[in-house]
Amino acid sequence: MNHLSFGSSHADVTIHWNQLGQITRVDLTASVETKKTNYKWSAVWRQTMPARLARVIESVQNYLENGEPILQFDLVECIDQAAWTPFQLAVYTITAEIPLGETRNYAWVAKKAGSPLAARAVGQALRRNPVPLIVPCHRVVGASPGALGGFMGVDDPKQPEMNLKRRLISWEDRYRNPPLFNFGLMVS
């Protein structure tokens, strides 16, 4: 098993992959302090991994550094899902399709998965999401206005994981809705 770790002002990230070049999990640790982004990884790493894996890693890095959307990937090809149930696969596929800067609630995901009464089961599946950011479970929120739901197995709003969920949603909203005018780039 191989892995690559990097940090950003949002989170410390470790991406793990198997011998087939499929991502097995993404570990996130919420950053509690602003730090300089650390995205340098050697060309040696890129040469030792399948090109599609390098594209996924670079996409996650670009998301955390610049707010760029994580590219849509074929979950079957890029992610090791051997331990996933059919329901988890459905939930993760639907969640991966939620557009950048938008949120949906657990009931919406359940309905799209063909189980309209399974909102709690959706929450449990997302709690076990092994590839956060790639499957953007932070975009799934509670049905009540302002209800975030949980994130990374945590639902206490004071925990760093919940602060990370808020920051990611806000980060994406800013990227999706950039300022109309950037006065700092005016050319005379």
Side-chain angles (χ1 to χ4, degrees):
M1 196 79 71
N2 297 302
H3 68 277
L4 178 69
S5 298
F6 51 91
S8 78
S9 60
H10 296 292
D12 293 326
V13 180
T14 301
I15 298 177
H16 302 264
W17 64 90
N18 62 21
Q19 66 278 8
L20 300 175
Q22 295 174 313
I23 295 174
T24 56
R25 76 177 195 268
V26 175
D27 296 330
L28 288 180
T29 304
S31 295
V32 292
E33 60 185 49
T34 301
K35 59 179 140 180
K36 185 176 173 142
T37 305
N38 175 19
Y39 285 119
K40 305 298 181 228
W41 52 299
S42 73
V44 173
W45 275 104
R46 290 182 186 159
Q47 293 170 356
T48 62
M49 66 177 68
R52 72 173 184 262
L53 177 60
R55 283 191 303 273
V56 173
I57 292 171
E58 288 173 353
S59 186
V60 170
Q61 291 173 328
N62 286 333
Y63 168 78
L64 287 170
E65 185 174 357
N66 303 317
E68 295 175 13
I70 292 177
L71 300 175
Q72 293 288 325
F73 296 102
D74 180 357
L75 294 181
V76 173
E77 180 180 302
C78 295
I79 309 295
D80 178 3
Q81 53 188 285
W84 295 3
T85 67
F87 182 73
Q88 286 173 310
L89 177 59
V91 168
Y92 298 158
T93 301
I94 292 161
T95 302
E97 294 171 356
I98 299 172
L100 178 83
E102 296 183 18
T103 59
R104 302 291 188 270
N105 65 44
Y106 297 97
W108 181 89
V109 175
K111 183 176 178 183
K112 293 283 280 185
S115 300
L117 301 177
R120 286 181 172 235
V122 167
Q124 289 304 309
L126 293 176
R127 179 184 192 105
R128 293 177 180 87
N129 176 10
V131 288
L133 299 181
I134 297 169
V135 172
C137 52
H138 62 277
R139 295 182 191 155
V140 182
V141 297
S144 303
L148 282 179
F151 187 56
M152 297 170 43
V154 173
D155 55 10
D156 180 349
K158 296 177 184 168
Q159 294 300 313
E161 293 82 0
M162 294 304 291
N163 289 330
L164 175 58
K165 183 172 184 169
R166 279 194 268 309
R167 285 196 318 247
L168 291 173
I169 291 170
S170 175
W171 173 251
E172 291 181 2
D173 190 52
R174 279 188 299 204
Y175 181 81
R176 186 178 64 121
N177 297 307
L180 293 176
F181 303 102
N182 189 341
F183 296 106
L185 298 177
M186 290 179 50
V187 177
S188 54

